[in-house]
Amino acid sequence: MTHGGSAQKSVDSSFTSLPYRRLADAALSRAQDFNVSHADFRFERVRYQQIAVRDGNLQGAGDTEDIGFAVRVILNGAWGFASGVVLTPESAVHIAETAVQVAQVAANMTTELVALAPEPVYDDVEWVSSYETDPLTVPLSEKVGLFSDWTGRLLGSPEVAHSSALLQQVVENKFYTDLAGTTTTQQRVRIQPEVEVFGIDEASGRFDSIRTIAPPVGRGWEYVVGAGYDWDSDLNALPGLLSEKLAAPSVHAGKYDLVIDPSNLWLTIHESIGHATELDRALGYEANYAGTSFATYDQLGKLQYGSPLMHVTGDRTAEHGLATIGYDDEGVHTQTWDIIKDGVLVGYQLDRAMAQHMGAELNGGRSNGCAYADSPGHIPIQRMANVSLQPALDGPGTQDLIGHVERGIYVVGDKSWSIDMQRYNFQFTGQRFYRIENGRLQGQLRDVAYQATTTDFWGSMEAVGGPQTWVLGGAFNCGKAQPGQVASVSHGCPTALFRDIRVLNTAAEAGH
Amino acid sequence: MTAPTPQELVEHALHTSRTDSCVAIVRDSTSANLRWANNTLTTNGVMHRVTVTVICFAGVGEGAASGSATGSAASFDQVTSLVEAADAAARQSRPAEDATELVVGDESGDWHDPSGETSIDVFDAFAPELGDAFARASDAERVLYGFVDHDVTTIYLGSTTGLRVRHVQPTGHYGCTGKTSDLTSSAWVGGATRDFADVNASAMEAELAQRLSWAQRKVDLPAGRYDTVLPPTAVADLLIYAYWSASAREAHEGQSVYSKAGGGTRIGESLSSMPVQMFSDPTYDELGAAPFVVAATSSNETSVFDNGLPLGRTHWIKDGSLTSLLQTRHSAGMTGQPVTPGIDNLVLAVDGAHAPMATLVGGVERGLLLTCLWYIRAVDPQTLLLTGLTRDGVYLVENGEVTGAVNNFRFNESPIDLLDRFSGASETVPSFSREWGDGFSRTATPALRVPDFNMSSVSQAN
């Protein structure tokens, strides 16, 4: 067995002691009886813990463990998929038979035969993500105590009417094996702490909230107690920021230059680049649900996505990235590649069937490892990698970027987001908006939303910050597919400057 | 070896727990789905899940703490592990602020009945029709994309206070997007079903063909406020968000559109000058939902102590006035209002509105008829301003008839404001939210005509 990812850790014995190899043998052996051209077996255990605290009191805590397995076959060019939770060889055989039965039903409606791009065989490899402390091994009382203390402390500030905190932790194990001979066993950890404070302006009756801007990360409990983030600084600033936000003047709608902090820009990247460059969307597979993409395949190498400063990469390899893993759910070794170079569309996110279909023009005819499911019961789909905007090597700092703006807004933190089904028209709000006058910040504004068309927006990007401004942001809750699947994905970016963007006054939009 | 029954898993959990009291919930689900794009099947599947939630309650100091563990569990050993985790969590936890007496009850008459189930066979009639529809669509230079899903989940809820209740929940939905082969026009049909006996792929394809024919004349319109007919699916898209935002606690604590300036909730205030009724009812025809509370963890809108609490018809808005918000027994104590937990369906009706949507459209001199809405997100909780997009068909109505298709728009609107601004309503019919229907499929809504719907900008999507 070979190892990858974390040099220190191996997969938990509580997972490796589970009977997945016996189930896999039973299922794949039965699938072979039907002369399938491909069969894979995936066994997963995903453990979640969520803790909600409000005003210094525990509101709810829950542990969830999703354990089960799935069999996927290709029979006569049609997919068949089935999953189950009874962990016996007899059940594994039954699930394999069900997958074959589904493929037989599917064959009558399959007009494009499925074939998979070749991939080297990985013989019993192991991969573990980079983290120090499994958060699920930390006593619940310690976690509740810390977040109760944080929210209780914030509630003690006169500006704060209420405070809440949510801590989400996930430990995920996957075992995958297929008839070609690849076998992988993997483990990864991720965590998302969030704290929010709420306030009311007694004079106007207006209320508002403000939240920490710490990103979710592929780390363990060490992230909450100080590794990689300054929690005290973020938390201590909240009451003052809330007070300023409640008293802030309402924005005048119009065109503004925007300096966008990575804590906000990651989400714009996710929606307008990450999803738009998923090849399944470009090919129409998501047309009935998540939507398609304006970045159609015929524009590969031609579409001017935005400013020549744009260099956007896809990867499933970044340390602490939420989409980072050693091998995807089709046994493909994960990679890093260019999606947009010098502002031009040059790549997509692929799975094996799409890579085979498109041929050598994309990634040399090989999948770039973007097929995965969110749980043992769901079928792997083409799913998002970490998609990141690269910084300018000697680029400016955030203050320098602000200094280049005569009249504009500095946007910090994410909040509301929405984009159309071809990824053209979007609208975002944020946690905080600062007025920029003659290169200096002049206090917060409220009721701000920015709205643009994707290529116009990225075409207006005049400057990209340097590596010192780059932050790996991300989300736990990216939704896609039917049945719906939820994925975690990271997006790194620097601060960046955009010229002449439409800003709305949200109170005016509401007619108030 | 035969797997234990759900009832045996419940009893095992209750007998294994070493805390003061315990609730066990088993969800036994089977589901089957087909998904297609570009006139061919893409993915599919049959899934079986057994999910067990164990909630243990332990005395801590002067209060009671709860611990909750949920997991896939098909054996006694797996349930034992969940009980141990929930027991440990309860003992490690702090006193729960929502602590109160557990619900007391008896065994329901259907407790010993087996779980309901579905299989790929539920599509026996639909699947061959769909194959034929692909062929017809290809011949007519149309492209179909869609999804059908059928799920049967049986819930068994037991407690150490004697409750043994069961509910079988069939849930199904279908949706199909049709595009012209040049991908410049798009249309959608979709709906909810309990068993697929009423879903016909040929009829679906025929309706798409008609809607795509409406798009043979295309008209570009700018952003602005338009006289707009929202069909029942779009009304469901907006109203579900208003329902999900109706936390009594958040309103009481000054954080939502339902908060009263100066403190407290807006219960009792008029939200609409029209005779609007919005309610949930577990026994509503064709929208039947669990008639008791099922809560795996506590939150602003749910309490694990309320598990098993009976649910009945609850009016959220009556005669235009806000009458109830989502309440646990704990939040009801904070707000001084009756206990009104959430229910898994939603009905909106306007008194006196009995005409079909076509009559509503027939009264429009020049305006828009939408198909559905998409990517709806809250922009401002103070007003519940929502943003989102029109999708898969915005039609121009002139002199009461559809005369063409127009571009898509981004909208910014509050469903609470719309309830007071609409100028006409149709009969209430079963509907299916395009945006939220995968997770909340049981709705009945009218079409609403809004004289000044705010289309904030044009979307190039088609």
Side-chain angles (χ1 to χ4, degrees):
Chain A
M1 183 175 284
T2 58
H3 291 257
S6 168
Q8 299 85 20
K9 289 190 160 51
S10 55
V11 175
D12 283 354
S13 59
S14 65
F15 181 72
T16 56
S17 62
L18 293 169
Y20 46 77
R21 289 179 189 267
R22 275 195 297 133
L23 305 191
D25 288 345
L28 295 185
S29 170
R30 182 62 180 139
Q32 274 184 307
D33 294 342
F34 296 90
N35 294 318
V36 297
S37 60
H38 168 90
D40 60 58
F41 172 93
R42 179 170 47 89
F43 184 102
E44 289 194 24
R45 182 185 68 176
V46 191
R47 291 177 291 157
Y48 310 83
Q49 187 183 67
Q50 180 167 302
I51 298 169
V53 173
R54 189 173 175 90
D55 295 341
N57 299 311
L58 173 66
Q59 191 170 35
D63 287 272
T64 302
E65 180 176 281
D66 194 356
I67 187 167
F69 64 93
V71 177
R72 196 173 62 148
V73 302
I74 300 175
L75 178 64
N76 298 327
W79 281 121
F81 174 84
S83 66
V85 295
V86 179
L87 309 184
T88 63
E90 295 77 16
S91 171
V93 166
H94 170 67
I95 295 298
E97 291 169 345
T98 305
V100 167
Q101 182 198 4
V102 172
Q104 289 164 339
V105 171
N108 294 328
M109 292 168 282
T110 301
T111 56
E112 286 180 20
L113 302 185
V114 179
L116 303 183
E119 178 69 14
V121 168
Y122 306 100
D123 182 16
D124 220 354
V125 290
E126 183 174 290
W127 184 91
V128 179
S129 70
S130 177
Y131 67 95
E132 292 172 20
T133 306
D134 176 346
L136 301 186
T137 65
V138 176
L140 180 66
S141 54
E142 184 178 332
K143 290 182 271 196
V144 171
L146 180 64
F147 282 81
S148 296
D149 176 56
W150 283 359
T151 55
R153 186 155 43 106
L154 288 164
L155 189 64
S157 301
E159 304 91 339
V160 174
H162 297 283
S163 62
S164 66
L166 183 66
L167 174 65
Q168 297 181 78
Q169 310 138 80
V170 182
V171 178
E172 179 183 291
N173 287 106
K174 283 176 186 277
F175 170 82
Y176 168 93
T177 187
D178 60 33
L179 287 178
T182 286
T183 300
T184 65
T185 311
Q186 305 185 84
Q187 177 167 301
R188 56 183 183 165
V189 170
R190 56 186 178 268
I191 193 163
Q192 179 169 34
E194 282 184 339
V195 180
E196 188 168 18
V197 292
F198 304 85
I200 300 170
D201 182 86
E202 298 293 345
S204 64
R206 193 168 58 242
F207 64 81
D208 218 322
S209 67
I210 206 156
R211 173 167 58 70
T212 48
I213 57 171
V217 290
R219 292 179 183 262
W221 180 245
E222 69 276 4
Y223 180 58
V224 182
V225 292
Y229 199 72
D230 183 355
W231 283 98
D232 278 343
S233 173
D234 203 351
L235 291 166
N236 291 340
L238 290 179
L241 291 169
L242 176 65
S243 178
E244 185 187 355
K245 189 176 184 182
L246 281 165
S250 191
V251 71
H252 293 289
K255 294 283 186 79
Y256 289 83
D257 295 342
L258 301 185
V259 175
I260 305 184
D261 191 79
S263 57
N264 182 275
L265 190 58
W266 74 265
L267 183 50
T268 311
I269 291 169
H270 176 86
E271 300 294 355
S272 68
I273 304 174
H275 280 304
T277 58
E278 294 171 320
L279 188 58
D280 65 338
R281 294 184 65 121
L283 296 176
Y285 293 3
E286 284 283 336
N288 186 59
Y289 184 64
T292 58
S293 173
F294 72 92
T296 49
Y297 184 71
D298 58 314
Q299 300 183 81
L300 182 70
K302 302 173 201 158
L303 175 66
Q304 190 70 42
Y305 214 105
S307 151
L309 298 172
M310 276 184 95
H311 180 201
V312 176
T313 56
D315 79 78
R316 298 203 66 202
T317 57
E319 188 177 30
H320 307 308
L322 296 170
T324 297
I325 198 163
Y327 304 85
D328 78 353
D329 287 356
E330 295 186 324
V332 176
H333 202 329
T334 53
Q335 303 147 44
T336 300
W337 68 99
D338 284 340
I339 293 176
I340 298 168
K341 185 76 174 160
D342 302 326
V344 176
L345 175 71
V346 296
Y348 286 97
Q349 303 159 67
L350 307 170
D351 67 14
R352 288 180 68 178
M354 290 170 202
Q356 176 70 13
H357 183 67
M358 307 316 288
E361 191 176 18
L362 268 181
N363 205 40
R366 181 188 176 204
S367 166
N368 47 30
C370 291
Y372 59 98
D374 66 352
S375 58
H378 282 152
I379 191 167
I381 54 171
Q382 193 266 285
R383 219 33 174 116
M384 201 183 293
N386 304 309
V387 174
S388 298
L389 175 66
Q390 297 304 310
L393 278 184
D394 299 314
T398 299
Q399 289 305 320
D400 291 335
L401 290 167
I402 291 169
H404 282 85
V405 174
E406 192 175 325
R407 175 179 176 270
I409 298 173
Y410 174 46
V411 185
V412 180
D414 66 86
K415 198 166 186 183
S416 173
W417 71 101
S418 174
I419 189 165
D420 73 33
M421 47 284 176
Q422 284 180 304
R423 305 280 142 173
Y424 283 115
N425 176 303
F426 61 69
Q427 179 177 308
F428 292 93
T429 66
Q431 291 295 321
R432 321 197 283 268
F433 299 91
Y434 296 90
R435 187 164 59 92
I436 304 172
E437 287 287 341
N438 299 318
R440 302 172 73 92
L441 297 184
Q442 300 289 351
Q444 288 191 53
L445 293 165
R446 61 182 170 82
D447 305 328
V448 179
Y450 65 92
Q451 198 182 78
T453 295
T454 293
T455 45
D456 294 345
F457 176 80
W458 289 107
S460 78
M461 186 171 69
E462 185 180 282
V464 178
Q468 71 276 25
T469 71
W470 197 87
V471 176
L472 188 66
F476 263 38
N477 61 339
C478 172
K480 187 179 175 183
Q482 291 179 302
Q485 298 195 34
V486 179
S488 299
V489 59
S490 288
H491 302 287
C493 58
T495 307
L497 167 61
F498 300 83
R499 296 290 188 189
D500 214 23
I501 304 298
R502 184 186 182 198
V503 166
L504 308 178
N505 180 302
T506 56
E509 287 291 306
H512 291 264
Chain B
M1 189 175 68
T2 307
T5 66
Q7 297 92 330
E8 288 170 338
L9 295 176
V10 168
E11 299 301 341
H12 180 76
L14 299 180
H15 285 104
T16 307
S17 173
R18 294 288 171 264
T19 47
D20 300 340
S21 48
C22 180
V23 169
I25 305 160
V26 175
R27 295 172 186 268
D28 189 359
S29 304
T30 51
S31 63
N33 67 73
L34 301 173
R35 196 176 195 212
W36 60 94
N38 302 320
N39 293 339
T40 186
L41 208 67
T42 51
T43 59
N44 52 56
V46 171
M47 281 89 88
H48 178 218
R49 300 169 76 98
V50 181
T51 305
V52 179
T53 297
V54 179
I55 306 157
C56 294
F57 304 88
V60 178
E62 295 180 355
S66 65
S68 172
T70 298
S72 312
S75 70
F76 292 133
D77 286 348
Q78 288 174 307
V79 172
T80 299
S81 296
L82 291 172
V83 171
E84 289 169 353
D87 271 5
R91 292 182 202 285
Q92 285 185 33
S93 208
R94 296 182 172 194
E97 59 175 2
D98 56 335
T100 187
E101 296 297 317
L102 293 186
V103 177
V104 176
D106 299 317
E107 186 177 291
S108 64
D110 61 353
W111 174 254
H112 294 284
D113 290 352
S115 303
E117 61 181 18
T118 189
S119 74
I120 197 74
D121 299 340
V122 75
F123 305 124
D124 270 356
F126 180 85
E129 282 177 6
L130 183 64
D132 294 343
F134 289 161
R136 278 195 305 277
S138 294
D139 291 346
E141 300 195 331
R142 292 191 294 269
V143 192
L144 303 181
Y145 314 79
F147 179 67
V148 288
D149 186 61
H150 191 240
D151 179 286
V152 177
T153 295
T154 309
I155 299 170
Y156 296 87
L157 188 154
S159 72
T160 48
T161 51
L163 269 179
R164 298 289 186 276
V165 287
R166 172 185 177 275
H167 174 71
V168 181
Q169 186 67 68
T171 303
H173 57 89
Y174 62 95
C176 190
T177 300
K179 291 181 183 288
T180 51
S181 57
D182 62 1
L183 305 182
T184 59
S185 297
S186 192
W188 176 83
V189 295
T193 177
R194 291 171 82 84
D195 55 15
F196 273 85
D198 52 350
V199 181
N200 181 301
S202 301
M204 201 165 69
E205 199 255 337
E207 186 174 346
L208 287 170
Q210 183 197 25
R211 285 176 170 261
L212 288 172
S213 75
W214 290 347
Q216 286 173 356
R217 177 185 173 226
K218 293 202 169 157
V219 181
D220 287 333
L221 290 180
R225 290 185 177 271
Y226 288 93
D227 190 357
T228 302
V229 175
L230 303 168
T233 182
V235 173
D237 285 332
L238 294 170
L239 265 293
I240 288 171
Y241 210 111
Y243 179 49
W244 286 346
S245 302
S247 160
R249 179 170 185 174
E250 288 179 13
H252 182 72
E253 295 186 344
Q255 291 168 219
S256 85
V257 69
Y258 304 106
S259 301
K260 182 157 60 177
T265 75
R266 294 175 66 187
I267 289 176
E269 269 188 39
S270 173
L271 299 182
S272 174
S273 56
M274 266 77 80
V276 170
Q277 322 296 340
M278 189 168 99
F279 60 92
S280 299
D281 182 350
T283 65
Y284 194 86
D285 193 30
E286 295 299 312
L287 304 182
F292 49 84
V293 169
V294 183
T297 58
S298 292
S299 68
N300 285 337
E301 300 84 36
T302 59
S303 170
V304 291
F305 291 88
D306 290 349
N307 268 305
L309 206 63
L311 299 171
R313 178 177 285 219
T314 303
H315 281 269
W316 311 109
I317 297 172
K318 191 164 191 178
D319 300 328
S321 292
L322 182 68
T323 48
S324 307
L325 294 165
L326 300 171
Q327 298 269 15
T328 64
R329 285 184 289 173
H330 174 238
S331 71
M334 296 170 73
T335 62
Q337 297 288 337
V339 180
T340 47
I343 295 167
D344 194 17
N345 64 22
L346 186 67
V347 180
L348 180 76
V350 179
D351 289 357
H354 302 301
M357 184 177 77
T359 305
L360 211 58
V361 173
V364 174
E365 189 176 333
R366 180 176 166 83
L368 304 176
L369 168 64
L370 307 186
T371 297
C372 57
L373 304 176
W374 187 247
Y375 223 127
I376 301 168
R377 294 292 183 274
V379 177
D380 183 0
Q382 184 106 34
T383 55
L384 198 60
L385 179 72
L386 304 180
T387 193
L389 286 307
T390 62
R391 182 170 184 179
D392 294 324
V394 178
Y395 303 104
L396 180 63
V397 179
E398 294 174 301
N399 300 317
E401 297 202 346
V402 173
T403 58
V406 307
N407 43 272
N408 279 301
F409 296 97
R410 168 173 297 287
F411 70 87
N412 279 310
E413 277 287 1
S414 164
I416 304 303
D417 274 0
L418 293 181
L419 289 179
D420 196 36
R421 281 177 29 223
F422 71 86
S423 58
S426 76
E427 62 184 333
T428 290
V429 296
S431 58
F432 177 74
S433 164
R434 178 81 184 275
E435 171 86 34
W436 312 115
D438 283 8
F440 194 95
S441 64
R442 284 173 278 280
T443 52
T445 44
L448 293 179
R449 179 179 173 187
V450 179
D452 53 355
F453 196 83
N454 178 19
M455 301 297 190
S456 175
S457 59
V458 169
S459 157
Q460 294 167 255
N462 53 37

